Amino acid sequence: MKDIINANERAYKMFSEGRTEVPLRPVIHDEDKNSDFIFMPAYAPDLEAAGIKIVTTFPENAKSGDAVTKGQVILIDGKNGDFLSVMDGTFVTAFRTGAASGAAFDVLGCRNPRIGALIGTGGQARCQLEAMLSVADLDEVRVAARNFQKTKKFAEDMSSLFKNCSAKIVPCETGDEAVKDADLIITVTPSPVPVFSAENVKKGATISAVGSYRDDMNELDPALFGIASKIYFDSTEACVEESGDVHRPLEQGIITENDFTGELGQVILGQVPGRESEDEIILFKNVGIGILDLVAAESIYRKARENKAGTKWNE
């Protein structure tokens, strides 16, 4: 996870420097099934690599125990156009999306955070938790989701998985209960309504909002944008274009685009300020950009070659 967090920070830096080609992703939405087919291309001349991730999301799969999100990543050699690798996009997505929160907390988090909150226990949640634990020595992580029985099971499973970490993983019945006094907050749900109230966010908290990538998704209380000291994005263009979390406060006049601070990559480059006081409420909204998948895939591919892992075709 720490390797991918570092890779994400490189990706954000390249993206904000304009050294990548990352078109806005086309999304084909099926209203009847509430499903999505998502195509995410990217090219990084510095890496001499290109790639595309194809992702499907079928929320109804959860009822049968099937994965909600599935995908494949194709890695392409930027020197000659060879197709280098196909890898599990479900894993890459979860890994690099978790690392996005890890990078945000690493760059924007307060000093010595003690309490974390995780809203959502779906397929993305494990890597989100792992990233949070990778960058912060927490005493406690509070977890909440719609189904409290599943929340308790998730907390139990994660307590076993991360038993070597000092943090106690505690199930909560509501998002508001989870975020009270939390220094680091992650939301990773497809919820169409806010999963906690802005009034329960403490001064100094850093929020990484991962779930909303369509207009009908709105897991954040719009009022949160009004109390945030600084608002950052992975890609300002993509978040403004795609996310209901961003559309609602803009539509309600809570903020204007002049209130946006900038992109995480710009903070890493020193082009915009990061956290400047321990009392600032920092909001990082990300919808996931293709360069993260490309940099993660390229890193995984190199490690696989070094360690002679994976399956080689035609051999």
Side-chain angles (χ1 to χ4, degrees):
M1 178 56 76
K2 289 183 178 179
D3 289 341
I4 298 297
I5 289 172
N6 290 334
N8 271 18
E9 292 183 12
R10 293 198 311 273
Y12 286 133
K13 182 178 176 181
M14 286 193 294
F15 178 79
S16 291
E17 284 180 318
R19 294 189 289 116
T20 62
E21 293 289 337
V22 188
L24 288 176
R25 57 187 167 195
V27 179
I28 299 172
H29 181 58
D30 184 329
E31 289 284 354
D32 293 337
K33 297 184 179 67
N34 190 29
S35 59
D36 291 313
F37 304 88
I38 306 166
F39 304 86
M40 301 175 64
Y43 173 52
D46 290 6
L47 296 180
E48 294 187 315
I52 185 167
K53 182 175 74 174
I54 303 170
V55 180
T56 62
T57 63
F58 281 69
E60 293 299 310
N61 286 0
K63 294 179 181 177
S64 63
D66 194 5
V68 170
T69 302
K70 303 177 184 180
Q72 295 289 317
V73 175
I74 300 172
L75 182 65
I76 302 167
D77 192 325
K79 297 188 294 293
N80 60 17
D82 283 352
F83 290 84
L84 297 176
S85 178
V86 175
M87 60 185 73
D88 179 2
T90 306
F91 171 78
V92 173
T93 299
F95 213 40
R96 65 82 157 152
T97 306
S101 292
F105 294 148
D106 183 42
V107 175
L108 302 170
C110 63
R111 289 195 300 268
N112 302 316
R114 308 312 309 169
I115 297 175
L118 173 65
I119 314 298
T121 57
Q124 301 277 332
R126 171 190 161 176
C127 284
Q128 293 290 329
L129 177 60
E130 182 177 357
M132 183 186 286
L133 296 173
S134 293
V135 298
D137 185 17
L138 300 173
D139 296 327
E140 182 175 287
V141 178
R142 300 168 184 165
V143 182
R146 288 178 301 175
N147 185 314
F148 188 50
Q149 293 304 314
K150 288 184 178 179
T151 302
K152 289 192 290 186
K153 180 66 164 58
F154 176 84
E156 180 183 324
D157 290 345
M158 295 302 104
S159 295
S160 175
L161 183 64
F162 299 115
K163 60 186 176 183
N164 293 327
C165 292
S166 59
K168 184 179 180 183
I169 301 172
V170 180
C172 296
E173 294 197 51
T174 68
D176 285 317
E177 181 185 351
V179 303
K180 276 190 175 180
D181 299 320
D183 301 296
L184 306 177
I185 300 169
I186 293 173
T187 59
V188 57
T189 78
S191 177
V193 295
V195 294
F196 64 86
S197 172
E199 66 184 18
N200 289 312
V201 176
K202 65 175 284 190
K203 288 184 177 180
T206 308
I207 302 101
S208 177
V210 174
S212 167
Y213 63 88
R214 292 198 320 246
D215 180 67
D216 61 339
M217 296 176 176
N218 185 204
E219 61 181 355
L220 294 182
D221 182 351
L224 185 59
F225 285 79
I227 66 171
S229 307
K230 293 188 173 77
I231 301 168
Y232 302 93
F233 303 107
D234 54 353
S235 163
T236 303
E237 180 187 19
C239 287
V240 171
E241 177 72 21
E242 298 173 358
S243 174
D245 279 340
V246 181
H247 295 168
R248 301 298 172 269
L250 287 172
E251 291 165 355
Q252 295 173 22
I254 295 171
I255 56 167
T256 70
E257 293 192 17
N258 291 331
D259 294 307
F260 299 160
T261 310
E263 295 172 347
L264 186 60
Q266 292 175 305
V267 180
I268 296 169
L269 290 166
Q271 295 174 349
V272 299
R275 176 177 289 278
E276 295 177 293
S277 86
E278 292 301 290
D279 286 337
E280 288 184 317
I281 294 174
I282 301 292
L283 175 58
F284 173 61
K285 173 59 201 159
N286 74 94
V287 292
I289 49 178
I291 190 61
L292 299 181
D293 300 297
L294 175 57
V295 174
E298 195 272 340
S299 299
I300 292 167
Y301 175 72
R302 279 191 290 104
K303 282 185 175 289
R305 291 296 299 268
E306 290 167 7
N307 292 285
K308 296 181 171 54
T311 301
K312 293 184 180 181
W313 291 318
N314 301 323
E315 290 189 9

